[in-house]
Amino acid sequence: MLEKTGRDAKPVDLAKWSETAPRYSETKRMISVFAGRPLPVIGFVIIALLILVAIFAPFLAPYPPNQMDIINKLQPPNTTHLLGTDSLGRDTLSRIIYGSRTSLIIGISVIAISSAVGIALGLFAAYFGGVIYHVIMRFMDALMAFPMLLLALLVASLLGAGMKNIIIALGIGMIAAPCRLMCGVVLSVKQNDYVMSARAMGMSNLRLMLQEILPNAFPPLLVMITIGLGAVILAEAGLSFLGIGITPPTATWGGMVNDGYKFVMTSPVLAISPGIAIMLVVFGFNMLGDGLRDALDPKLRGVI
Amino acid sequence: MTSYIIRRILMGVIIIFLVTVMVFLFIRLLPGDPLTIYLNKTDMQQLTEEQLFELRVKFGLEKTLPAQYIDWLGGLFTGDFGRSIYYDIDVGLLVRERLPVTLYLGALAFIISGVLGLSFGVICALRRGTWIDTLVTLLANIGITMPSFWVGIILIYLLAVKAGWLPVSGFTSPFTDFWKSTRQIIMPVTCLALFPIASLTRLTRSSMLEVIQQDYIRTAWSKGLRERLIISRHTIKNALIPVVTVIGLQVAFIFGGSVLIETVFNINGIGRLMTQAVQNQDYLIVQAGTLIIAIMVVLSNLTVDISYGWLDPRIRYD
């Protein structure tokens, strides 16, 4: 903090420094990095549309999602049914629109539960260290050994199908990633001087963790949550495809692919269209996550 | 190095122990009568209280949980996974019959995804900004979003139904009819490998780009080393370190995907066995399948970790 070196060096007037505004705003830089490239913007638009479609589903869908019309079953795409109808005469487009609700509700609840548990466990493990660290992390290693879909299959087989049980099943499978991430961040952050000074000031463990350590993990957590949402939606689609997910007649994209699979020879659009919806949404979350990662990474300052 | 290997193996043993505890507890602690593990629900309704109690004693369910766990673990060591309530045969036998199919498909998908994913990633990074890079990166970004079961259905529709080039579904052992078997597994293996290829490409590319910026690469250039040497010895070798760590995750992912793919393509592997077992409420099969797959994932992670310590000397001194 010295302006000149040598004998006549004067300390910089710190008060003056702290009053001058920073040369540029970090938020502005993040936004320009994020918005400066096409893919993150496309991702953002897709997710914004998904949320709007899910909220306004009743206004957007041309038909109620479960309205059957056996006479007009298995129709090819036409002007009255833009994406045709399924084997019970239900409008495919309306079911895809309503399916966005299922995907979004499950995605958000699973991520909320698994992140809360994972973050808490990771924070405790790394902050206290020792036996607590080893016990928690070895359990996470064991949890990681289960393919998420198998774990969900196991849990769902015991609890039965249904929205709540699918959320529990996928939530258990998603705990390990935020836990490990949190643990890594805490281990590197807790060596810092400001953590030690906060402790010297007599800050309680809980407050120290929440106020000084947790915010440091925010950028990578945000990226992980965004990409995790896509992964959960993909896994839920898989479970519903296997018929172990959400119980019919609730519209789910995975379940629709499964229904359409039986008629793939005659009306392939039934299986193809919900798959495209899954793809678009997962693509949206991935691109949004990638964009956030680049925007929030201080190492990339000036590179992009 | 020896102490590193011993430490890793010990850790692997601990993790496998925890895996068995978790699988055991999952089945025992969740709601419902544990007797349903051994008996059909409809059969149980016809039995009297005394008969049910006798059965509980017979299966050791009146003991404490730790005692039950030890009984169960002891059984596992002798290869006793219990008896399937649906098929009424030994679960171990069923698993032994179905597992090789899944392993064969999974191993092929694993090798293909490793070779293609790494090569695509390296090519993209070396040709950064060219049309090849743009195209492959875009395809990789799309590849990680496609539900594998959906890709399977589309492949069936295009290649089997429309074009008629490949059989729609089924599996034949390569020892019975190699040609038929190969034609049958092209689509399932493609589906299984798709996500790992795409994610390995992305990871290798970004890892390569990071290494290329390092000072030691500039030093290598300024030393006047040949390009081939810089790429092979200095860049790729270092860039692969973070890639190798996720190989264990790929194994888990391929096993998870096989549950879906075996259902799509009507393949009698362990994944399909487990899906059907869930529908039949045949818990012991689900338990055995989950346990075996989880242990295999731990073992492959262990192998990766040990070879990793050999590749990257820094790891050994953690």
Side-chain angles (χ1 to χ4, degrees):
Chain A
M1 285 301 225
L2 297 177
E3 268 182 326
K4 297 175 205 164
T5 49
R7 218 170 250 266
D8 52 359
K10 280 183 207 145
V12 173
D13 182 4
L14 283 173
K16 198 183 85 192
W17 270 83
S18 60
E19 268 168 23
T20 50
R23 270 172 300 168
Y24 64 59
S25 142
E26 186 69 357
T27 324
K28 266 190 199 155
R29 183 194 67 83
M30 285 176 189
I31 293 171
S32 77
V33 167
F34 186 84
R37 285 169 309 149
L39 284 176
V41 177
I42 294 173
F44 179 77
V45 172
I46 293 175
I47 300 312
L49 282 177
L50 169 77
I51 294 170
L52 289 177
V53 166
I55 293 173
F56 296 109
F59 304 103
L60 292 168
Y63 298 90
N66 299 325
Q67 179 183 298
M68 291 189 252
D69 182 5
I70 299 289
I71 301 162
N72 289 318
K73 68 174 184 180
L74 292 175
Q75 284 202 353
N78 55 42
T79 43
T80 44
H81 297 282
L82 285 176
L83 289 173
T85 55
D86 68 4
S87 58
L88 297 170
R90 296 174 296 192
D91 182 56
T92 307
L93 180 63
S94 305
R95 287 181 71 71
I96 290 181
I97 290 175
Y98 272 91
S100 66
R101 289 187 160 185
T102 318
S103 291
L104 210 56
I105 290 171
I106 293 200
I108 292 172
S109 339
V110 167
I111 290 291
I113 294 171
S114 60
S115 309
V117 177
I119 289 171
L121 286 175
L123 206 57
F124 277 102
Y127 185 78
F128 292 110
V131 182
I132 297 178
Y133 169 84
H134 281 287
V135 170
I136 293 180
M137 291 325 276
R138 289 300 81 75
F139 260 107
M140 290 302 128
D141 287 343
L143 200 56
M144 293 282 267
F146 297 99
M148 191 165 77
L149 211 57
L150 282 189
L151 198 66
L153 208 69
L154 181 67
V155 177
S157 75
L158 297 156
L159 296 177
M163 176 96 66
K164 196 185 80 194
N165 295 342
I166 293 309
I167 292 172
I168 297 174
L170 291 174
I172 294 176
M174 293 291 287
I175 289 175
C179 178
R180 285 189 161 184
L181 182 110
M182 200 61 221
C183 189
V185 173
V186 179
L187 283 179
S188 66
V189 167
K190 78 170 181 183
Q191 308 294 337
N192 286 339
D193 288 345
Y194 63 82
V195 174
M196 204 188 285
S197 77
R199 187 178 291 154
M201 276 159 59
M203 209 183 244
S204 72
N205 276 333
L206 189 68
R207 205 166 140 217
L208 189 69
M209 282 194 274
L210 295 180
Q211 219 166 41
E212 303 291 331
I213 295 181
L214 189 61
N216 280 287
F218 184 67
L221 273 175
L222 192 66
V223 174
M224 207 197 62
I225 283 172
T226 317
I227 293 176
L229 276 166
V232 171
I233 288 176
L234 212 51
E236 181 272 318
L239 279 180
S240 294
F241 174 76
L242 291 175
I244 303 163
I246 311 297
T247 36
T250 311
T252 64
W253 293 337
M256 289 176 71
V257 174
N258 188 17
D259 286 343
Y261 181 35
K262 295 159 201 150
F263 305 99
V264 72
M265 316 275 175
T266 47
S267 28
V269 71
L270 277 184
I272 293 174
S273 51
I276 291 176
I278 300 171
M279 247 180 81
L280 270 177
V281 167
V282 178
F283 184 76
F285 278 121
N286 284 344
M287 291 305 110
L288 192 64
D290 281 1
L292 286 174
R293 169 171 21 224
D294 293 345
L296 297 173
D297 188 350
K299 273 188 289 181
L300 290 176
R301 244 175 240 162
V303 179
I304 313 173
Chain B
M1 187 70 195
T2 322
S3 86
Y4 170 79
I5 292 175
I6 292 171
R7 260 186 298 148
R8 280 292 135 140
I9 290 177
L10 267 178
M11 217 184 213
V13 171
I14 293 172
I15 294 170
I16 288 177
F17 166 72
L18 290 176
V19 163
T20 61
V21 171
M22 282 162 92
V23 169
F24 174 79
L25 287 183
F26 264 129
I27 303 259
R28 300 294 159 129
L29 287 190
L30 287 168
D33 189 338
L35 206 55
T36 50
I37 301 168
Y38 303 102
L39 282 177
N40 217 321
K41 272 185 186 144
T42 41
D43 288 350
M44 263 170 61
Q45 278 158 2
Q46 291 159 3
L47 297 172
T48 61
E49 275 301 311
E50 289 90 63
Q51 283 172 311
L52 284 176
F53 182 75
E54 266 170 42
L55 283 168
R56 279 203 181 105
V57 174
K58 183 187 161 202
F59 291 118
L61 293 175
E62 87 292 355
K63 295 183 196 165
T64 58
L65 266 185
Q68 286 186 38
Y69 171 74
I70 289 166
D71 281 356
W72 176 71
L73 197 66
L76 291 187
F77 274 112
T78 55
D80 174 19
F81 287 96
R83 210 171 170 76
S84 152
I85 48 169
Y86 185 79
Y87 298 100
D88 197 30
I89 52 170
D90 199 42
V91 172
L93 217 68
L94 264 176
V95 170
R96 232 168 291 148
E97 186 188 298
R98 303 290 187 93
L99 192 60
V101 178
T102 305
L103 285 182
Y104 175 57
L105 296 178
L108 282 176
F110 180 75
I111 295 167
I112 291 172
S113 62
V115 172
L116 290 184
L118 295 185
S119 336
F120 288 159
V122 169
I123 291 169
C124 278
L126 295 180
R127 303 265 177 279
R128 189 186 186 182
T130 62
W131 65 269
I132 302 180
D133 177 33
T134 317
L135 182 73
V136 175
T137 310
L138 183 71
L139 287 179
N141 278 333
I142 295 173
I144 55 166
T145 65
M146 288 195 285
S148 58
F149 56 92
W150 179 74
V151 176
I153 292 171
I154 290 192
L155 287 180
I156 290 178
Y157 179 69
L158 292 178
L159 301 181
V161 178
K162 284 276 158 189
W165 292 335
L166 295 169
V168 175
S169 60
F171 178 80
T172 318
S173 160
F175 299 111
T176 338
D177 185 344
F178 184 75
W179 179 234
K180 190 181 171 198
S181 162
T182 309
R183 276 163 53 87
Q184 277 176 334
I185 63 170
I186 290 177
M187 292 193 289
V189 170
T190 310
C191 293
L192 281 177
L194 199 68
F195 183 93
I197 292 176
S199 69
L200 278 179
T201 303
R202 274 166 54 98
L203 190 68
T204 312
R205 177 180 181 271
S206 65
S207 169
M208 282 284 291
L209 289 178
E210 202 155 296
V211 172
I212 284 174
Q213 289 175 5
Q214 298 295 318
D215 289 342
Y216 56 79
I217 300 297
R218 198 186 311 139
T219 311
W221 280 109
S222 54
K223 273 202 303 192
L225 291 182
R226 272 171 302 138
E227 186 178 2
R228 235 178 55 197
L229 202 69
I230 297 176
I231 291 168
S232 62
R233 194 170 296 170
H234 295 253
T235 316
I236 294 181
K237 211 176 154 197
N238 284 302
L240 284 188
I241 292 173
V243 179
V244 172
T245 41
V246 300
I247 283 182
L249 290 179
Q250 303 294 352
V251 174
F253 195 87
I254 288 175
F255 273 121
S258 67
V259 176
L260 295 166
I261 294 306
E262 286 170 10
T263 306
V264 174
F265 289 98
N266 253 327
I267 295 168
N268 277 325
I270 198 155
R272 188 144 182 266
L273 178 73
M274 287 175 64
T275 322
Q276 287 168 337
V278 169
Q279 275 144 8
N280 300 332
Q281 301 192 307
D282 209 344
Y283 299 128
L284 285 178
I285 292 183
V286 188
Q287 189 178 38
T290 316
L291 184 66
I292 288 170
I293 288 176
I295 288 177
M296 284 197 295
V297 172
V298 175
L299 291 180
S300 49
N301 271 331
L302 189 67
T303 322
V304 168
D305 273 358
I306 288 173
S307 52
Y308 193 52
W310 177 68
L311 281 172
D312 183 3
R314 283 172 299 183
I315 305 290
R316 285 176 230 161
Y317 304 107
D318 268 358

